[in-house]
Amino acid sequence: MLSLIEPSLGKLLISEPFLMDPNFKRSVILISDYREEGTVGFVLNHPSLLLLKDLIPEMPEAEFPVYIGGPVATDTVHFIHRCYDIINDGHEIAKGIYWGGNFEILKVLIDNGSIMPHEIKFFLGYSGWAPDQLKGEISKNTWIVSDQYHPDVVFSDNEEELWREVIINLGPKYAHVSNFPEDPRLN
């Protein structure tokens, strides 16, 4: 299933069905930075057991889920959002999807109920690739690159179905893959 699309900012990386690395098993990753120096992305469908309020005690009402963005710098918190109109900050990584922004402003907006969970996603850590590492993994069929998604997919809270949904969105050539069992020995 060689990926026909090159990775770039705002594209999705979809793990091949039998990837057993627990960090990336059935993962959907949003590429948030893509340069010669390397690639950064966030796993969209690996929730942690934490809420934002667990990480930031001065926000006791922040009932926002926190996802495991990847195995790099897991002591850092990142966020993507689609509310630039009220945060007025962040780097656009896809149409209407932004990475980061002024966290102090964000805390006030969350405290006063101006931002809802379907507009923002928080991550512990990130996924990262050195120069040419990602292209090497793609050439080995570890990842499928996609630009076929609706922004709502990025903010979906249906983690278990997200991988399947983005595979099906790739079209009939890939749709059958969505039914592969996680462990091929159980087939």
Side-chain angles (χ1 to χ4, degrees):
M1 293 187 334
L2 188 61
S3 187
L4 302 176
I5 298 174
E6 290 290 316
S8 64
L9 186 66
K11 300 269 189 336
L12 295 180
L13 297 175
I14 307 161
S15 68
E16 64 91 3
F18 303 122
L19 182 63
M20 289 299 160
D21 180 335
N23 295 306
F24 300 114
K25 186 176 183 179
R26 301 263 166 143
S27 290
V28 178
I29 297 175
L30 176 65
I31 298 175
S32 55
D33 195 12
Y34 187 81
R35 304 180 210 187
E36 272 186 36
E37 301 85 35
T39 303
V40 172
F42 299 106
V43 179
L44 300 173
N45 59 329
H46 287 186
S48 75
L49 298 175
L50 300 170
L51 296 173
L52 188 59
K53 69 180 185 176
D54 300 325
L55 300 173
I56 305 172
E58 65 266 21
M59 298 180 72
E61 305 301 317
E63 300 275 338
F64 292 78
V66 177
Y67 292 79
I68 305 298
V72 182
T74 56
D75 60 343
T76 60
V77 177
H78 304 268
F79 64 98
I80 57 173
H81 61 90
R82 55 178 168 185
C83 32
Y84 188 88
D85 56 330
I86 59 173
I87 295 176
N88 294 314
D89 201 1
H91 302 286
E92 189 169 33
I93 54 178
K95 186 170 175 52
I97 301 172
Y98 300 85
W99 175 20
N102 185 315
F103 200 74
E104 294 307 311
I105 291 172
L106 179 63
K107 287 189 334 190
V108 170
L109 293 169
I110 288 173
D111 284 344
N112 70 24
S114 297
I115 294 181
M116 298 293 113
H118 68 277
E119 299 174 302
I120 195 163
K121 216 167 201 177
F122 293 92
F123 304 94
L124 277 174
Y126 63 90
S127 300
W129 291 265
D132 296 323
Q133 180 184 2
L134 181 57
K135 285 184 180 183
E137 290 180 14
I138 290 169
S139 73
K140 293 176 184 167
N141 293 320
T142 302
W143 302 103
I144 301 167
V145 182
S146 175
D147 58 3
Q148 300 298 309
Y149 67 94
H150 190 279
D152 288 348
V153 165
V154 172
F155 298 95
S156 171
D157 62 357
N158 189 350
E159 300 87 14
E160 290 190 23
E161 283 298 312
L162 185 60
W163 180 85
R164 198 170 187 291
E165 183 180 331
V166 295
I167 289 282
I168 290 170
N169 270 352
L170 293 172
K173 178 181 173 187
Y174 295 98
H176 71 284
V177 172
S178 70
N179 294 318
F180 286 3
E182 283 191 40
D183 185 342
R185 297 172 296 185
L186 301 177
N187 197 5

